[in-house]
Amino acid sequence: MTDGEPLAATLRQIERSAGALATASVSRMDESLPWFRELPADQRSWVMLVAQAGVQSLVQWLRTGAGARGGPQAVSDEVFDVAPRALARSINLQQTVALIKVTIDVVEEQVPHLAAPGEEQQLREAVLRYSREVAFAAARVYARAAESRGAWDARLQALLVDALLRGDSADVLASRAAALGWTDAPPVAVVVGRSPGGEAAIVLHGVHRAARRADVEVLGGVHGDRLVVVMGGASDPVSVAERLLPAFGEGPVVVGPAVPSLEAATESARSAMAGYRAAPAWPAAPRPVAADDLLPERALAGDGEARRILRHSAYGALARTSGELLETLDAFLIHGGALEATARALFVHPNTVRYRLRRVAEVTGFGPLTPRDAFTLKIALALGRLEPGTQGEQLTKPT
């Protein structure tokens, strides 16, 4: 190129041919890119505008000297400003690169007709450099769109989790979930643990990456130092939550009970939150741990739902039997789980004690011979005797 107006005659020819070049580029796209033919008419018109802007930007880029400091990047970014940002969500980066390649190919083919005599090689080299700038500009546009989308998704997911924890209406949950593409695959369960720290969008990116490996859909929100994740399509919520552990920080991770849909997930969220608050009382708890396995700790921490479940499924269930099961369990707990001592206290054979303890396990779902279940039963008996009038509550022990 020369000083002054570079490629002056060539620039005038390109300006006169801008419309024809854009039309030829779109026509080539229609011929060579099957997915382009399937685009809606409005999106195809946006691509035409981008192609026209690209040719005009090439002229401006050449006029600035094709490399003047501060010029090429700003001009190249402007190529995509004529199209709505929604286009970046309709056409992915790989497809955009294909569109750019088609447009550059068309311009290169027309170099002999566009360039003034003796300027063909200069124009060809300039077009190649310009195509690189446009490719970088496309990458920047998609990067900004991804950042914006990630931040927006993080806010929307946080709002949905807030709505779950508050127990908002099903319509509110459904509308927010639909905006995030949630399919509501059953069963649904909520997981609560400590957030690893950092920006919410980055934390949720880690959650979604782990969820893709586990083949489940997830929504999540960071609430203070807690990370709340809603899982969909998790047939075994605890096993799936174990695969999501890398997305959580240190400390307990609690899994709420499975429910049929997002609409019912408030129950799972409340149980998971109550379990997370009570988990420090069981230092040896597995990680993750089911909220239902933390019923005694939740009851001691004041969780009304856990107290009702234990009163009904343990104390109430035993109180509704003949009475010998409750008597045997009491004696067994008093004597520190010793079968012989229990049998002597009840004036029965040890095998009779074993039989009755098996019946206790069948009736309540908790086996007295297991230390953890024995602790749960002891708490349940205490709660039942503190509030004996509630033993007939119509509640069932979670499965």
Side-chain angles (χ1 to χ4, degrees):
M1 295 184 187
T2 60
D3 294 336
E5 179 96 4
L7 302 173
T10 297
L11 290 176
R12 288 193 294 272
Q13 180 60 26
I14 295 174
E15 287 178 320
R16 287 194 294 269
S17 305
L21 287 171
T23 301
S25 297
V26 173
S27 178
R28 179 75 60 84
M29 295 170 193
D30 195 66
E31 295 172 2
S32 59
L33 303 174
W35 57 265
F36 180 77
R37 293 193 292 271
E38 298 174 2
L39 289 178
D42 59 338
Q43 294 182 14
R44 289 165 61 91
S45 67
W46 292 342
V47 173
M48 170 69 85
L49 292 175
V50 172
Q52 290 176 338
V55 176
Q56 295 167 358
S57 181
L58 171 61
V59 173
Q60 182 62 32
W61 191 79
L62 292 170
R63 185 165 284 140
T64 61
R69 188 176 68 178
Q73 178 174 327
V75 172
S76 296
D77 282 352
E78 291 173 0
V79 172
F80 299 96
D81 288 345
V82 297
R85 284 290 181 261
L87 186 61
R89 294 194 291 270
S90 302
I91 301 175
N92 62 39
L93 182 57
Q94 183 178 359
Q95 292 171 330
T96 301
V97 171
L99 297 179
I100 293 171
K101 184 178 184 301
V102 168
T103 303
I104 296 301
D105 287 345
V106 170
V107 174
E108 282 189 302
E109 290 173 5
Q110 296 299 316
V111 164
H113 307 290
L114 297 173
E119 296 181 342
E120 293 86 355
Q121 187 60 28
Q122 288 177 289
L123 178 58
R124 187 171 285 108
E125 292 175 358
V127 169
L128 290 175
R129 290 195 300 272
Y130 177 73
S131 65
R132 181 188 64 184
E133 294 294 336
V134 173
F136 284 138
R140 286 190 293 271
V141 168
Y142 277 85
R144 287 196 296 268
E147 289 175 357
S148 176
R149 177 70 181 182
W152 170 249
D153 280 357
R155 288 193 293 271
L156 194 55
Q157 289 182 69
L159 289 173
L160 188 145
V161 171
D162 281 337
L164 265 182
L165 298 178
R166 288 195 307 268
D168 284 358
S169 69
D171 290 341
V172 172
L173 296 177
S175 63
R176 290 177 177 168
L180 290 162
W182 176 263
T183 63
D184 209 18
V188 175
V190 177
V191 186
V192 179
R194 183 177 294 276
S195 169
E199 293 184 13
I202 296 175
V203 171
L204 294 183
H205 177 73
V207 172
H208 284 276
R209 184 172 55 199
R212 283 194 296 271
R213 297 193 185 109
D215 195 26
V216 293
E217 65 174 337
V218 293
L219 298 171
V222 177
H223 294 253
D225 65 346
R226 291 171 300 186
L227 173 60
V228 182
V229 176
V230 185
M231 304 184 300
S235 56
D236 186 346
V238 175
S239 295
V240 173
E242 187 173 0
R243 301 180 66 180
L244 301 184
L245 286 180
F248 287 87
E250 297 180 352
V253 174
V254 182
V255 185
V259 294
S261 66
L262 184 66
E263 180 180 348
T266 294
E267 174 189 340
S268 183
R270 286 174 177 166
S271 295
M273 291 293 290
Y276 181 73
R277 288 190 292 268
W282 186 15
R287 186 176 188 266
V289 59
D292 291 342
D293 291 340
L294 287 161
L295 284 173
E297 288 78 13
R298 289 167 53 189
L300 290 173
D303 179 21
E305 181 69 10
R307 295 167 72 94
R308 285 190 294 272
I309 291 172
L310 290 177
R311 282 198 305 265
H312 175 76
S313 64
Y315 179 78
L318 292 173
R320 289 189 291 272
T321 64
S322 61
E324 63 182 16
L325 296 186
L326 190 57
E327 179 188 24
T328 301
L329 178 60
D330 263 332
F332 182 73
L333 294 175
I334 290 171
H335 290 87
L339 289 171
E340 297 288 345
T342 303
R344 286 194 298 269
L346 296 174
F347 302 101
V348 298
H349 193 277
N351 285 341
T352 301
V353 175
R354 289 189 181 92
Y355 168 75
R356 291 178 181 177
L357 293 180
R358 285 197 298 270
R359 287 285 298 133
V360 169
E362 292 171 1
V363 170
T364 66
F366 300 106
L369 295 175
T370 302
R372 176 68 189 173
D373 282 1
F375 171 67
T376 302
L377 288 167
K378 192 169 187 177
I379 298 297
L381 296 189
L383 290 171
R385 285 166 176 147
L386 286 171
E387 302 177 55
T390 61
Q391 61 180 275
E393 293 167 316
Q394 296 301 308
L395 292 173
T396 59
K397 178 182 178 291
T399 57

